[in-house]
Each structure stands twice: as C-alpha cells, then as structure tokens.
Amino acid sequence: MRRLLAALLATGLASSAGGVLVPHALAQRLPSAPGAPGVRAIWAPADKHGFGTAHQRASHVWFTLRQHELSEVYYPDLGTPALRELQFAVGSGGELAAESDGARGRVRRGAGLTFTQTTTDRGDRWRLSKTYVTDPRRATVLARVRLTSLDGRPHPLYLLADPALSNDGDDDRAVTRDGALLSWDRRAALAIRAQPALLDGTSGYAGSREPWRRLQRAVARRAVEAAGPRAPVAIRRTDAPQAGNVTQLARTQLDGRP
C-alpha cells in the first residue's frame, strides 16, 4: 500500500478540580510506560523550510516544516506550540531509519499555503512524499503521505510524534485509543489519526526507553536472528498516564508497494 491520509487535530479541553476530563473517559488502560517523566523537553531547531496556515480565521492552527519533517504545530495561537515534531521512519530489510537520518530531502510550495516534502533514501530503496495543508474550518493539519518502494521490496512505515501542548513539553500525558494517538495537558489536547488506520500505537517518555528507541532495539535484535526482508516489528504497547515529556509511535499500513 502506498498512500496514507493523516490528520492532526488540536482542541481545547474542559477541566475540573481533578484535571482534564479526558483521562477519566479512557477505560482499559495499557501498561504504563517506563522512564517517567522522561528527559527535559527542548524545542526543535530553527531551520524552517515552510510555514502554513489557512486563509480563513475559523482555523486556529499553524505549522512549520524542516527539510524532512513536520516541526512545530501551533494552537490556539501563533505563540503557543502544541507539537514539537512529527516524522516517519522507514524499514529496509534489517534496518530502520528515521527519514531525517541521512536521506535526501526537499520542500516545495504548492498552490495556496500547501507544501510538499519529498525524502529519498540515499540507497534509492524508497521515496516518501508528504503534502501538508490546514483545514479551513477546524484546528487540523492534514498530510497526504505517499511511500514508494524503488527496489520492489516492502518497507514498513512508522510514524513518530513528539507532543508539547500549551508551549510546555514536560506536563503532557498520552494514550492510544481506537487507532488514534492522543495526548493532552490541562488546557489542550492533540489527536493523530490516519486512513487507513494506524496500528500498534504506543506512548512513552523521552529518553533511553522511549518507543522509538525500543523499536530500534527490537529491529536490531531481529536483524541478528534472521536475514532478508521481514514483516514489520511490533513493540510492547504502553500508555503514558503520568505527566511528563511524552513521545508516541505507531505503525502505518504502508509498505511502498501497490
């Protein structure tokens, strides 16, 4: 499968003396992630290659792009970041690499305030294209994602997200529910959904035991055990219900083939 439509939705939350109401509506929790509250959050580098928003005032969301990935998403105003970074990781046989790790990347502006990022593996094994646009009526950033296998082999595609709601990346919580990556603090929330749906979503805390590093270790272990192309690696699913510097990961249903 080659195409994916991803949506990032930021929204305000009603709160009570016990905090945001969202956590109390989430039943059947997964095991809590280790390493809370994680390392201290920092903001993404300032090398921006694109800036997008909607012309209409009904949408209170803005986004910036680096060469390879979506960097900050701002909500509910331009002075309040809600997301530090969202990027993808691509599997190639026994390897797994984030798209910003050694691949060739470019950003082009399209019609209006749309932008397309294209990342090509230096070994010409895969190409990843993402076109971003904001919904004119909602606080939503949409990304149309296309992964193309250039060598004819399957390349599992993973999504990596680093929420930082309300301009503070150290007080967020995160869970996975109904195929969506959810995160929130006392003032706002963020949902990441996709069509076709995300799989194996997990949340953790930034540091040595975060989801991305756990996935890298799992891929490396399996590369030692067997050679050649393999099915996507699944990692242990966890929630991050304690406030901290949360990160999230999910597997998409794309592998670059028709």
Side-chain angles (χ1 to χ4, degrees):
M1 186 175 295
R2 286 181 176 174
R3 292 188 181 92
L4 175 81
L5 181 65
L8 292 81
L9 171 65
T11 180
L13 291 173
S15 61
S16 65
V20 174
L21 298 180
V22 170
H24 306 294
L26 300 175
Q28 299 178 338
R29 289 189 180 278
L30 294 172
S32 295
V39 299
R40 189 165 184 81
I42 59 174
W43 284 108
D47 56 322
K48 307 305 179 187
H49 292 246
F51 170 77
T53 188
H55 289 289
Q56 294 82 351
R57 294 187 178 183
S59 177
H60 298 280
V61 66
W62 298 257
F63 69 87
T64 63
L65 300 174
R66 298 185 67 204
Q67 186 174 12
H68 299 89
E69 68 265 20
L70 174 71
S71 46
E72 290 89 357
V73 170
Y74 296 85
Y75 171 86
D77 54 54
L78 194 51
T80 309
L83 180 82
R84 179 184 180 274
E85 180 184 57
L86 186 144
Q87 67 169 310
F88 292 87
V90 186
S92 297
E95 302 176 1
L96 180 68
E99 58 179 322
S100 59
D101 185 14
R104 304 188 302 269
R106 66 181 182 183
V107 178
R108 291 185 175 179
R109 180 178 171 183
L113 289 176
T114 65
F115 291 88
T116 298
Q117 284 177 325
T118 303
T119 304
T120 305
D121 172 50
R122 291 193 181 278
D124 290 323
R125 293 171 293 184
W126 52 264
R127 181 172 59 248
L128 183 65
S129 174
K130 298 158 291 178
T131 299
Y132 296 96
V133 65
T134 55
D135 189 318
R137 297 180 179 86
R138 302 171 183 86
T140 302
V141 178
L142 294 170
R144 186 175 297 276
V145 181
R146 180 183 177 92
L147 175 66
T148 303
S149 173
L150 302 179
D151 59 7
R153 297 182 178 184
H155 296 282
L157 183 69
Y158 297 84
L159 180 150
L160 315 173
D162 188 354
L165 292 151
S166 306
N167 197 20
D168 186 350
D170 292 313
D171 66 345
D172 300 329
R173 294 173 168 83
V175 299
T176 304
R177 291 297 178 273
D178 300 324
L181 299 178
L182 310 176
S183 57
W184 70 92
D185 63 8
R186 287 183 171 271
R187 291 178 288 178
L190 175 70
I192 302 174
R193 303 184 66 93
Q195 295 177 348
L198 298 172
L199 304 173
D200 301 331
T202 187
S203 302
Y205 299 93
S208 62
R209 304 173 77 180
E210 65 185 283
W212 168 232
R213 297 193 183 187
R214 284 163 29 206
L215 178 61
Q216 286 180 305
R217 287 193 288 267
V219 170
R221 283 196 301 270
R222 195 165 71 174
V224 172
E225 296 168 359
R230 289 171 292 279
V233 171
I235 61 172
R236 180 170 175 260
R237 293 181 60 188
T238 57
D239 279 342
Q242 180 179 334
N245 181 10
V246 301
T247 63
Q248 297 180 287
L249 179 148
R251 178 169 64 88
T252 76
Q253 297 191 43
L254 275 64
D255 64 6
R257 298 179 298 176

